[in-house]
Amino acid sequence: METLCLTTESSVGRMEEEEEEDLVSGTFTWRIDNFSTLNKQKHYSDVFVVGGYKWRILIFPKGNNVDYLSVYLDVADASTLSSGSTRYAKFRLTLVNQVDSKKSITKDTEHEFVANDWGFTSFILLSELCDHDKGYLVNDFCVVEAEVSVCNGIKILEDQETGELIDFRGLGRVEKTFVPFLEEVCSSYPSLLECHKKRSRTFIQCAFTALGRLLRFLKTTKAKDMTRDACKRLQLLWEELETFKFDLVWLEPHVQSVLVMKRRAGRVDRLREDVEILENEIKRRRDVLAVAEVDLEAAKRDLAKAEEEFKIDMDTELGYPLP
């Protein structure tokens, strides 16, 4: 485990990172001092790194147009990322209760970041936060934690998107590895090229980047690799692509069938496990029954022998002995 301590004039941050086989996770703790004096609309934590990516926590001390503390996870190096670059993360944001940790407020979500922030606009009422008896703001400081998890497999996909950008049919620059997939589908579905001709170049570039990202995922992912996280990534890629309003009636059934296929495969696996358990239970009970049948036959033989040895006229008077 690697621990990184960060200290600034108005805040103290502590970062811990753990790596597992398929997941890189890290927790960053941010102490926000002099909370009542924060006058800017936005206030950022120091930058911390999880899975090779730079993050920071963003808060709106007076609320993001609401009477709540607003808390987000932010892509710290957004300005330096290549066009269309994304990063997928699961994360949990916690406002620590300094009096009773059981009353800490935690909210979690997951998101595919496209050089932006994501989180919770209404995290806690400002009136509740500033009530010193509640335990969230003590001696004019509060503590916010961010636990971030990045999947290694998804990180590899993102790394592939930091390569060479080339022009695609004069519409904009996209990741070079997307072009073969885009050429293939645009040749078969020319309407993809027509539907966005009146949009800005930036919009078109983002739209075809989103389409290329989804097509590459479908072409380079095998059915056996459709883990739970892969399904979630596919769902996010699809939702991102839908925002660009392509005519996708030709693609949607296939994407949905992949998602349904995985759910059905999971159900089949669970049912197969249930059948195996029941078969083993039946075998166990049959073994028990076989033993019981042997014991029953033995008991019957013992009974027959005892009855043979104990033959008596049941109508005979019992009487009693005399001298």
Side-chain angles (χ1 to χ4, degrees), residues 215-242:
L215 295 176
R216 186 179 67 182
F217 180 91
L218 292 172
K219 276 288 194 178
T220 59
T221 305
K222 297 180 180 179
K224 66 179 182 180
D225 298 325
M226 286 301 290
T227 62
R228 182 179 179 183
D229 284 330
C231 285
K232 288 182 178 180
R233 176 167 172 78
L234 175 58
Q235 184 68 49
L236 288 170
L237 290 175
W238 176 252
E239 291 174 358
E240 176 191 36
L241 182 58
E242 284 185 311

Side-chain angles (χ1 to χ4, degrees), residues 21-126:
E21 182 178 354
D22 297 319
L23 196 68
V24 177
S25 300
T27 300
F28 178 77
T29 302
W30 182 25
R31 169 173 165 158
I32 308 172
D33 291 314
N34 304 314
F35 186 85
S36 62
T37 65
L38 301 178
N39 296 319
K40 293 183 179 180
Q41 182 186 24
K42 298 181 179 181
H43 188 53
Y44 292 93
S45 74
D46 290 308
V47 174
F48 60 96
V49 178
V50 177
Y53 303 132
K54 295 181 179 179
W55 309 93
R56 56 184 176 176
I57 303 172
L58 163 64
I59 67 167
F60 286 68
K62 308 300 182 184
N64 187 6
N65 298 316
V66 293
D67 294 325
Y68 289 79
L69 175 69
S70 304
V71 187
Y72 307 90
L73 181 66
D74 179 66
V75 175
D77 54 349
S79 62
T80 64
L81 298 179
S82 60
S83 176
S85 178
T86 67
R87 61 183 65 169
Y88 168 83
K90 300 177 183 179
F91 63 94
R92 175 178 300 161
L93 298 171
T94 299
L95 176 64
V96 177
N97 189 296
Q98 302 174 61
V99 175
D100 184 355
S101 61
K102 294 181 179 179
K103 294 182 179 179
S104 297
I105 299 174
T106 296
K107 299 186 178 184
D108 50 43
T109 185
E110 56 190 78
H111 185 61
E112 183 157 20
F113 291 83
V114 186
N116 60 352
D117 55 67
W118 191 260
F120 305 93
T121 301
S122 301
F123 200 92
I124 181 176
L125 279 167
L126 291 173

Side-chain angles (χ1 to χ4, degrees), residues 231-284:
C231 285
K232 288 182 178 180
R233 176 167 172 78
L234 175 58
Q235 184 68 49
L236 288 170
L237 290 175
W238 176 252
E239 291 174 358
E240 176 191 36
L241 182 58
E242 284 185 311
T243 64
F244 293 103
K245 306 301 181 183
F246 279 110
D247 179 5
L248 299 172
V249 294
W250 57 276
L251 182 58
E252 182 174 10
H254 179 70
V255 172
Q256 297 304 325
S257 69
V258 172
L259 294 172
V260 170
M261 174 189 68
K262 185 59 182 178
R263 288 194 292 268
R264 288 178 177 173
R267 183 169 183 269
V268 168
D269 289 340
R270 290 192 298 272
L271 290 174
R272 185 178 290 113
E273 290 177 359
D274 291 343
V275 168
E276 184 177 351
I277 291 172
L278 290 172
E279 286 177 342
N280 290 334
E281 179 65 15
I282 289 174
K283 182 179 182 301
R284 185 188 69 80

Side-chain angles (χ1 to χ4, degrees), residues 166-170 176 178-190 192-193 208 211-212 215:
I166 63 173
D167 183 76
F168 174 64
R169 297 200 177 192
K176 184 177 181 179
F178 296 164
V179 172
F181 309 122
L182 292 171
E183 289 286 1
E184 184 178 28
V185 298
C186 288
S187 296
S188 299
Y189 305 98
L192 293 171
L193 299 171
F208 279 96
L211 178 57
L215 295 176

